[in-house]
Amino acid sequence: MDVLKLANLDVKGKRIFIRADLNVPQDETGRITEDTRIRASLPSIRYCLEQGAAVMVTSHLGRPTEGQPKPEDTMAPIAQRLAELLGRKVPLVDNWVDGHFEVKPGEVVLLENCRLNKGEKKNNDELAEKMAKLCDIYVNDAFGTAHRAEATTHGIAKFAPVACAGFLLSAELDALSRALEAPKRPLVAIVAGSKVSTKLTILKSLAEKVDQLIVGGGIANTFMAACDLPIGQSLAELDLVEEARNIMDIMDQRGASVPIPEDVVVANELSAHARANRVDAQEVQADDMILDIGPKTAANLAGILAHAGTIVWNGPVGVFEFDQFGGGTKMIAAAIAHSPAFSIAGGGDTLAAIAKYGIEKQIDYISTGGGAFLEFLEGKQLPAVAVLEQRAKG
């Protein structure tokens, strides 16, 4: 992807506006419970500070109502955490759009929640032009919002003197391009989740590209039903059985395949105390719920992953939050960790599984984006990236 990169620009003495993704989870007191996104934003901020730039950083946080700030909407806890990580003051600036604040070369400020500004979500040009006047260089480092055209992700990039990709966004685009545009074969995708409907377009898109398409969760149950296997009371979308068959047909015609579970783990209820039973896929009873793949299936899938050239992982294959239904996801995680393949993973539940099984350092690239990661897999153009490509052409 041809975009200007922050790493290639001289930023000394320049005013830099960084759109980061600092939308981190907090508890009811506002305490940050997980700061991965903040840490991921540090390389671009540090680079600009070390080069002697005047740095402004903004992000959205939560789902505030534009023009109606509430206490829970404030970025104050984020400013505090940034200050701790950077080892310097990070003042929080309110009502910043008109530029009534000062930031000197070598200093950084955090601009209050950008989604409080009227016109942010609708990508208002007047708002975007005002923000563009604040800077010499606009840096988009928020891959997690790249699938949305908003004033701080798209509009400002049209009007800023220079618009580029930060270190995090550049790394995301490089990793995703490597995985999907020129992958080392075999290319194996794992797409799991509760519903086929939410990932149908992704499944169709990947069916044209991948050598093996591993499905899990409620999606796998729908594919099992499409193969006339019993699924009992399992979560599935029976109205999409025909779509599942079409995806398998597309794969078959290409000499590729969708491995269907041979055995599964079932229970009569979904709870921490539910008793898990392994059964062959043909022996699921009418009152059973399929909550994980069985060990034979997991071993077969691990074999596929061991011989892959590239692995794209989105979604756990079972209800891994309960250990008795986590065996399949645990084995998949271990297989990816030990595979020589280039591996990329994304999506909230996937990141939770990676953390649970402690394989963070054995995945080649972990994407910070949820929706953006999925839309890239679909083959969709991401608006925030498209505008950077247009600006790079001049």
Side-chain angles (χ1 to χ4, degrees):
M1 289 185 179
D2 191 14
V3 300
L4 283 179
K5 295 186 177 182
L6 175 61
N8 300 328
L9 298 179
D10 177 11
V11 301
K12 185 176 181 180
K14 302 283 177 64
R15 295 171 302 151
I16 310 296
F17 185 110
I18 300 176
R19 173 50 160 104
D21 182 5
L22 308 175
N23 185 33
V24 293
Q26 299 169 276
D27 64 19
E28 60 278 359
T29 68
R31 186 181 66 86
I32 295 166
T33 56
E34 208 280 325
D35 68 355
T36 298
R37 285 177 173 168
I38 298 176
R39 291 177 179 276
S41 72
L42 295 178
S44 290
I45 298 170
R46 284 197 177 116
Y47 173 82
C48 292
L49 289 171
E50 288 165 4
Q51 299 292 316
V55 185
M56 299 161 270
V57 183
T58 195
S59 171
H60 71 289
L61 181 68
R63 297 184 177 181
T65 302
E66 290 182 2
Q68 299 178 34
K70 299 184 186 70
E72 62 267 26
D73 300 329
T74 183
M75 302 283 288
I78 315 300
Q80 182 181 341
R81 187 68 183 122
L82 265 178
E84 291 168 0
L85 293 168
L86 291 170
R88 61 166 69 218
K89 287 184 178 180
V90 181
L92 180 65
V93 180
D94 205 0
N95 300 316
W96 49 269
V97 172
D98 292 318
H100 301 310
F101 63 93
E102 186 179 15
V103 54
K104 297 175 182 175
E107 293 180 348
V108 57
V109 297
L110 182 63
L111 307 178
E112 187 57 281
N113 198 330
C114 61
R115 287 212 183 136
L116 289 170
N117 299 319
K118 289 185 178 179
E120 167 66 17
K121 292 204 75 172
K122 290 189 175 179
N123 198 21
N124 178 272
D125 274 355
E126 185 180 349
L127 173 62
E129 286 189 76
K130 281 184 178 181
M131 294 191 295
K133 288 175 182 174
L134 299 174
C135 67
D136 301 306
I137 299 173
Y138 164 71
V139 180
N140 191 328
D141 214 23
F143 178 73
T145 61
H147 58 309
R148 298 191 184 102
E150 298 179 350
T152 57
T153 64
H154 184 271
I156 187 175
K158 293 190 297 183
F159 303 114
V162 177
C164 69
F167 286 84
L168 175 61
L169 180 60
S170 297
E172 292 270 5
L173 297 177
D174 289 346
L176 285 162
S177 297
R178 178 177 171 186
L180 292 175
E181 291 177 8
K184 183 180 178 184
R185 301 277 177 175
L187 169 57
V188 180
I190 304 163
V191 180
S194 57
K195 293 185 177 181
V196 174
S197 54
T198 57
K199 296 184 178 178
L200 182 60
T201 50
I202 298 163
L203 292 165
K204 284 183 174 178
S205 176
L206 291 175
E208 304 280 1
K209 301 172 186 170
V210 304
D211 301 298
Q212 300 271 355
L213 179 58
I214 295 172
V215 291
I219 293 173
N221 298 338
T222 303
F223 275 77
M224 288 176 67
C227 296
D228 298 321
L229 289 166
I231 61 169
Q233 298 296 314
S234 307
L235 180 66
E237 291 173 289
L238 299 181
D239 56 324
L240 292 177
V241 159
E242 203 53 46
E243 293 282 9
R245 288 188 181 123
N246 290 340
I247 288 166
M248 288 187 282
D249 287 343
I250 291 168
M251 297 285 286
D252 286 342
Q253 288 163 17
R254 294 178 47 245
S257 69
V258 180
I260 301 300
E262 296 176 49
D263 60 342
V264 292
V265 176
V266 300
N268 297 129
E269 63 174 352
L270 176 55
S271 75
H273 308 293
R275 181 179 174 182
N277 297 302
R278 188 205 72 82
V279 299
D280 287 343
Q282 296 93 341
E283 295 174 2
V284 175
Q285 300 301 305
D287 60 346
D288 282 337
M289 289 189 289
I290 301 170
L291 300 174
D292 193 13
I293 56 173
K296 187 188 296 185
T297 300
N300 288 342
L301 298 181
I304 291 170
L305 295 167
H307 296 96
T310 305
I311 298 168
V312 178
W313 181 19
N314 175 249
V317 296
V319 187
F320 75 100
E321 293 87 351
F322 300 136
D323 287 345
Q324 68 269 44
F325 307 121
T329 300
K330 186 176 183 178
M331 188 174 282
I332 291 288
I336 295 171
H338 295 114
S339 173
F342 173 74
S343 55
I344 181 167
D349 289 341
T350 314
L351 304 193
I354 288 170
K356 179 170 182 174
Y357 301 122
I359 61 164
E360 297 94 331
K361 293 179 180 176
Q362 293 159 287
I363 302 289
D364 290 295
Y365 195 83
I366 296 175
S367 175
T368 58
F373 180 78
L374 294 175
E375 292 202 10
F376 196 103
L377 294 188
E378 278 183 52
K380 284 186 177 178
Q381 190 174 50
L382 305 180
V385 176
V387 70
L388 294 182
E389 290 179 308
Q390 290 161 10
R391 288 301 307 273
K393 292 174 185 173

